[in-house]
Amino acid sequence: MNNTPAVRLDFFQDKYLADLTYYHLSTDQLMYTAHPKEALAKEAFEARRHGIVILFQHHVAGFFVLEDGESLKMYSDNQQALLLCSYSIAYKMQGRGIAKQSLLQLPAFLNCHFPKKNEVVLGVNHQNIIAQHVYQQCGFVDSGKRIIGKKGEQYVLQLNVMEAIH
């Protein structure tokens, strides 16, 4: 029996570019997140941004960026934190639990690749109830902090990496 998880996280590599080129997000999704091509274009100029692909059965199903640059300061004073942004699951891959599985794997991924980081923070639009629910199911908690993003008020959620691993 194969115990390999159906969902796996990997750093963006050129071999994923073709899949991300044809990556579709609905208009509703684009209200709250950037298309991976946009995020990757920005990443090329910033060394402190790391594109992460979400693989489902070896196919690109999602994407997000982990950042520890200047943008992080808006969300957290913790110098050992990472900012999760541009999170999305491709439209045709939704409804399979991929988002939840990927977020539950995030603490172990961080522990392996960013061992000095102990927290993940993100901003989620106050109207994006579905995303809020998924993040909270995966251990993210409301920090109580609010910021104003491009699309209005965002709740700042945080995840203690070490607590999530244990």
Side-chain angles (χ1 to χ4, degrees):
M1 184 173 188
N2 185 355
N3 290 330
T4 304
V7 173
R8 188 171 66 82
L9 303 178
D10 194 11
F11 286 98
F12 170 78
Q13 301 170 49
D14 286 342
K15 68 182 181 179
Y16 300 125
L17 195 54
D19 286 341
L20 290 173
T21 300
Y22 298 104
Y23 190 96
H24 176 70
L25 295 175
S26 71
T27 304
D28 288 345
Q29 288 173 283
L30 289 170
M31 284 179 54
Y32 301 119
T33 192
H35 190 280
K37 288 188 295 186
E38 276 181 63
L40 286 169
K42 187 175 180 184
E43 179 185 308
F45 300 104
E46 297 183 33
R48 300 185 76 118
R49 291 173 54 88
H50 310 278
I52 310 295
V53 293
I54 301 166
L55 301 169
F56 177 70
Q57 298 176 345
H58 308 290
H59 298 284
V60 174
F63 179 83
F64 61 93
V65 172
L66 293 172
E67 182 176 334
D68 63 354
E70 287 297 310
S71 297
L72 176 62
K73 292 178 182 177
M74 222 164 90
Y75 298 84
S76 176
D77 295 329
N78 179 355
Q79 301 217 346
Q80 281 74 47
L82 283 170
L83 174 64
L84 187 151
C85 51
S86 302
Y87 186 94
S88 67
I89 300 296
Y91 184 73
K92 68 179 183 177
M93 303 300 277
Q94 293 182 2
R96 302 178 191 195
I98 295 169
K100 185 174 181 179
Q101 286 183 55
S102 71
L103 291 168
L104 290 172
Q105 288 181 26
L106 185 59
F109 182 84
L110 293 174
N111 195 42
C112 180
H113 298 288
F114 301 93
K116 294 182 180 179
K117 301 298 181 180
N118 62 20
E119 181 181 52
V120 178
V121 294
L122 60 86
V124 61
N125 189 285
H126 73 286
Q127 294 180 334
N128 194 349
I129 306 299
I130 294 170
Q132 291 171 40
H133 182 71
V134 172
Y135 290 129
Q136 290 169 344
Q137 277 188 318
C138 297
F140 283 83
V141 295
D142 188 342
S143 70
K145 189 172 188 173
R146 303 292 181 259
I147 59 172
I148 301 300
K150 292 177 186 175
K151 308 286 184 185
E153 184 180 38
Q154 292 187 353
Y155 301 143
V156 176
L157 304 183
Q158 60 191 44
L159 176 72
N160 180 311
V161 173
M162 298 319 291
E163 284 179 13
I165 289 174
H166 300 300

